[in-house]
Amino acid sequence: CIRDRSRDSAEVLTVSIRDGEFIGLGECVPYKRYGETIKSVSNEILSISLPVNNQILQKVLKPGAARNALDCALWDLEAKKEGKPVWKLLNLTEPKPTVTAYTISLSTPEKMMQEAKKKNNFPILKVKLGSKYDEQCIKAVREGSPNSRIIVDANEGWTIETYNYLVPIFKKIGVELIEQPFPSYQDHLLKKLERTIPICADESCHDVESLENLVGLYDFINIKLDKAGGLTEAANLLNTAKKNGFKIMLGCMVGTSLAMAPALL
């Protein structure tokens, strides 16, 4: 059977840090894949004594949702106190409107085709895969949305045999990117496989430290603030990845605009 992985709700944690009249806000989404829960992340956040700054935070908390919410709240607080946008404080490029990908969740090919038809005017569709029906699912999405650009996320669900079978089909259909085809502990499999479609690391890439083992295996990395542990590390990861020849995808968990805003930076 196919598991329907769509979601219509998410539990998020919001952090607020006050300094006089100024309040900094941050948000994170605990991720079960990394053993995080609302309770465990809350405990991590509450374990930090104030005052604290972004640099100290990198040393006392590991990458993850808790550090992300605190780090983003601290940057928001600093921006409000200084009267400057965060992108200036971090020497980043001024953010501008950008095209984002709409995600089609893993379901039956019929349901995925119907969803693609509804969104056939969207510029980019990100298709969730990872079942034995991936060929039928991607063909259904393409039929439902013949003109959209398509990227896929295999969610660590493929074997070498699956990869070798599907990639030529995906190439013919026009798939432009494949995200995390194998489990993160099997990254080495990519070293000897034919590369006709760029491959993006998601679960295999968290922070700068994780980059070293990905060089020569992946073409893109997916930066998510909840994985990196905040905007401080994400900005560092962005710069380091570019220097090492990686292209960049920016991703997110299912959160609110409070979580999306720092990711846009």
Side-chain angles (χ1 to χ4, degrees):
C1 67
I2 290 181
R3 291 179 297 161
D4 192 328
R5 299 183 186 177
S6 62
R7 299 174 64 184
D8 55 17
S9 65
E11 290 186 308
V12 306
L13 280 171
T14 302
V15 168
S16 62
I17 302 177
R18 180 188 295 272
D19 186 352
E21 63 180 298
F22 301 103
I23 299 177
L25 297 174
E27 178 184 294
C28 68
V29 184
Y31 195 24
K32 185 178 179 180
R33 166 70 171 74
Y34 304 120
E36 296 176 334
T37 64
I38 290 286
K39 183 177 181 180
S40 70
V41 172
S42 297
N43 289 339
E44 281 191 83
I45 291 170
L46 294 173
S47 73
I48 301 302
S49 300
L50 299 177
V52 68
N53 60 38
N54 300 92
Q55 288 67 42
I56 293 175
L57 196 61
Q58 310 308 303
K59 300 176 182 178
V60 297
L61 279 184
K62 66 182 185 299
R67 196 176 78 183
N68 176 36
L70 283 165
D71 187 70
C72 290
L74 286 169
W75 279 115
D76 187 44
L77 179 64
E78 185 68 16
K80 290 170 178 174
K81 289 167 63 178
E82 294 290 330
K84 297 179 180 179
V86 175
W87 64 266
K88 282 191 175 181
L89 297 177
L90 273 168
N91 294 316
L92 296 171
T93 304
E94 181 178 5
K96 298 178 181 179
T98 187
V99 176
T100 62
Y102 178 85
T103 298
I104 294 183
S105 299
L106 176 63
S107 186
T108 63
E110 294 76 18
K111 288 183 178 180
M112 294 175 77
M113 181 190 293
Q114 290 304 313
E115 184 67 12
K117 284 182 177 179
K118 294 176 184 177
K119 303 297 187 295
N120 65 9
N121 63 330
F122 281 36
I124 305 176
L125 299 178
K126 177 176 176 177
V127 183
K128 292 282 189 175
L129 298 176
S131 80
K132 63 181 180 180
Y133 298 104
D134 283 354
E135 180 181 358
Q136 295 93 320
C137 289
I138 198 66
K139 287 180 176 178
V141 170
R142 174 50 84 203
E143 183 177 343
S145 186
N147 297 317
S148 297
R149 299 171 63 193
I150 292 180
I151 60 179
V152 303
D153 184 358
N155 281 309
E156 303 182 278
W158 288 0
T159 63
I160 291 179
E161 291 74 21
T162 305
Y163 179 99
N164 287 331
Y165 176 77
L166 288 177
V167 167
I169 297 171
F170 283 19
K171 180 71 174 179
K172 186 175 181 179
I173 287 174
V175 172
E176 298 183 23
L177 186 74
I178 298 171
E179 189 176 347
Q180 200 69 43
F182 305 122
S184 57
Y185 61 86
Q186 292 185 326
D187 285 333
H188 61 278
L189 296 179
L190 289 165
K191 191 171 185 178
K192 296 182 179 180
L193 292 177
E194 186 178 1
R195 187 70 53 88
T196 58
I197 300 175
I199 307 296
C200 178
D202 182 7
E203 285 82 2
S204 294
C205 181
H206 293 251
D207 55 3
V208 171
E209 186 176 343
S210 66
L211 272 183
E212 183 178 350
N213 296 325
L214 306 182
V215 175
L217 300 178
Y218 289 94
D219 308 291
F220 283 72
I221 63 165
N222 187 342
I223 300 177
K224 295 177 181 175
L225 269 63
D226 275 316
K227 288 190 304 176
L231 187 55
T232 302
E233 180 63 17
N236 188 18
L237 177 58
L238 176 74
N239 293 328
T240 306
K242 286 183 174 180
K243 290 178 182 177
N244 281 276
F246 291 102
K247 295 182 180 179
I248 308 298
M249 173 191 287
L250 272 296
C252 62
M253 307 305 181
V254 180
T256 76
S257 57
L258 180 57
M260 303 305 108
L264 178 61
L265 303 187

